[in-house]
Amino acid sequence: MARIGYHCSHEQYAPSHLLRLARRADQAGFQSAMCSDHFYPWGERQGHSGFAWSWLGAALQATSLSFGVVTVPGGWRYNPAIIAQAAATLAEMYPGRFWIAPGSGELLNEGIVGQRWPVKADRNARLREACDIIRALWAGETVTHRGHVVVEEAYLYDRPKEPPKIVGAALSPETAEWMGQWADGLITVAGTRESMQKTIDAFRRGGGEGKPIFLQAQLSFARTDEEALRGAWEQWRTVKLPSPVLSDLRLPSQFDAIGEAISPADVKEKMRISADVEQHLEWLRGDVEMGFEEINIHCVHVEEQERFIDVFGEQVLPRLGE
């Protein structure tokens, strides 16, 4: 049986509100959680962007959930030594309850430091170097590294007995296959069964056979199908944008501008949108059948968030094992 978790969206809620939602999800029966690590939201309508690493300490203390964070340790906002220290601190305080999902990043967040934004191949090279550095620091090594990323005589004094998992974040089969050789697991996003299977197969083909696979499942749930679609379109129309566009826009206003060309029908093609609990249950059962070890659900409809947590806690989570 997969763990069913709650995705904590820093882009959509103030940190204090998001902490209350995480606690409610814990009380409703969700078993895990994950969050984003953004400097900016994906658009002005979302309107929030708390600092994930401060918030994670509070969330781990306030709930019994395990947590993951999608982050970018490639040396723009964060030097990998800082990510290694931050993750080691949380894992030491909350053993077995924390993992990181490193990715190659988006200009939206990393552009604030004013460095040249590299092409994807260079970003991947930085990511791999960063993860090697993080693992070495968790292993108690003193690290000096000069490559795409620079670290000089770094050493961590406080380390967990068991290091966190490094779960590679991949949106494409190509990235997933590359991550199979070095990541401890894979996390991808919900799509068609065919597209998800291609990503999973690529990860396993690249060396990920036997490693855990996680899913971030975006959906919109409301009292009517029309309301669910409206909430999805207003808050998360960027779901329609391909990865190269997502990674290369600089400001929320630019996402809003390109989003003007995206219709509600476009969003419906890319996201699970329904007011029917049974339909959502069917979708999630399909995910479980695919072998995902952990499925973190992201309901993008902000006005229905508390109801989503309560209804899924009562009517969906207990029935997934049937």
Side-chain angles (χ1 to χ4, degrees):
M1 179 59 192
R3 292 187 301 276
I4 306 300
Y6 176 71
H7 178 80
C8 302
S9 179
H10 284 287
E11 303 94 318
Q12 295 179 283
Y13 306 96
S16 56
H17 186 182
L18 194 59
L19 185 60
R20 291 194 296 272
L21 291 173
R23 294 181 68 180
R24 190 171 187 140
D26 185 24
Q27 293 162 3
F30 287 81
Q31 299 166 293
S32 62
M34 63 176 289
C35 73
S36 48
D37 177 11
H38 272 225
F39 190 85
Y40 281 129
W42 295 108
E44 296 294 342
R45 292 179 186 85
Q46 293 174 358
H48 297 280
S49 195
F51 186 57
W53 292 94
S54 303
W55 184 88
L56 280 162
L60 282 158
Q61 179 64 28
T63 72
S64 63
L65 303 172
S66 62
F67 273 85
V69 61
V70 182
T71 190
V72 181
W76 294 284
R77 277 188 299 160
Y78 308 124
N79 186 284
I82 300 302
I83 295 297
Q85 184 186 30
T89 295
L90 291 176
E92 193 278 335
M93 290 193 295
Y94 305 102
R97 291 178 55 199
F98 185 66
W99 50 272
I100 66 170
S104 60
E106 300 94 14
L107 181 60
L108 176 70
N109 301 303
E110 312 309 320
I112 60 166
V113 299
Q115 296 182 18
R116 180 186 69 85
W117 185 238
V119 297
K120 175 67 170 173
D122 288 347
R123 300 201 306 270
N124 280 352
R126 293 173 74 110
L127 173 60
R128 178 62 192 273
E129 285 186 16
C131 289
D132 289 344
I133 290 165
I134 289 169
R135 282 199 172 101
L137 288 167
W138 287 345
E141 299 177 25
T142 298
V143 176
T144 295
H145 179 92
R146 294 183 181 89
H148 291 281
V149 179
V150 177
V151 174
E152 191 162 301
E153 295 187 349
Y155 176 81
L156 292 183
Y157 283 86
D158 288 301
R159 305 183 304 277
K161 292 180 180 178
E162 182 178 343
K165 279 187 170 60
I166 294 180
V167 181
L171 298 178
S172 70
E174 294 77 17
T175 299
E177 183 170 358
W178 170 68
M179 287 178 164
Q181 62 185 295
W182 59 266
D184 298 324
L186 171 75
I187 184 166
T188 190
V189 295
T192 65
R193 189 167 184 132
E194 180 183 9
S195 66
M196 290 189 291
Q197 192 63 58
K198 285 181 178 178
T199 301
I200 293 167
D201 291 345
F203 178 70
R204 289 173 174 159
R205 184 170 60 247
E209 190 67 45
K211 297 178 181 179
I213 51 172
F214 294 178
L215 182 69
Q216 181 187 349
Q218 293 172 339
L219 59 84
S220 186
F221 174 69
R223 296 178 188 275
T224 67
D225 289 349
E226 293 76 17
E227 178 63 20
L229 179 57
R230 180 191 65 80
W233 180 72
E234 288 183 353
Q235 281 289 305
W236 219 264
R237 67 186 72 176
T238 53
V239 71
K240 183 65 176 177
L241 300 178
S243 181
V245 176
L246 286 173
S247 64
D248 287 350
L249 296 181
R250 180 178 289 276
L251 295 171
S253 59
Q254 293 173 328
F255 281 90
D256 287 339
I258 200 169
E260 292 299 321
I262 299 173
S263 70
D266 293 329
V267 176
K268 191 173 183 178
E269 290 179 356
K270 296 287 289 185
M271 190 184 296
R272 299 168 176 181
I273 298 172
S274 179
D276 185 357
V277 171
E278 297 300 320
Q279 176 62 78
H280 285 290
L281 183 61
E282 182 180 337
W283 279 322
L284 286 167
R285 281 176 171 159
D287 298 334
V288 172
E289 290 172 2
M290 293 187 71
F292 288 106
E293 182 174 302
E294 180 170 310
I295 301 168
N296 289 298
I297 305 172
H298 179 194
C299 179
V300 303
H301 195 312
V302 293
E303 296 163 22
E304 294 281 351
Q305 202 64 202
E306 287 81 1
R307 179 172 173 266
F308 154 72
I309 291 171
D310 295 345
V311 170
F312 272 57
E314 292 172 3
Q315 301 182 36
V316 175
L317 304 189
R319 296 172 60 195
L320 272 173
E322 293 177 355

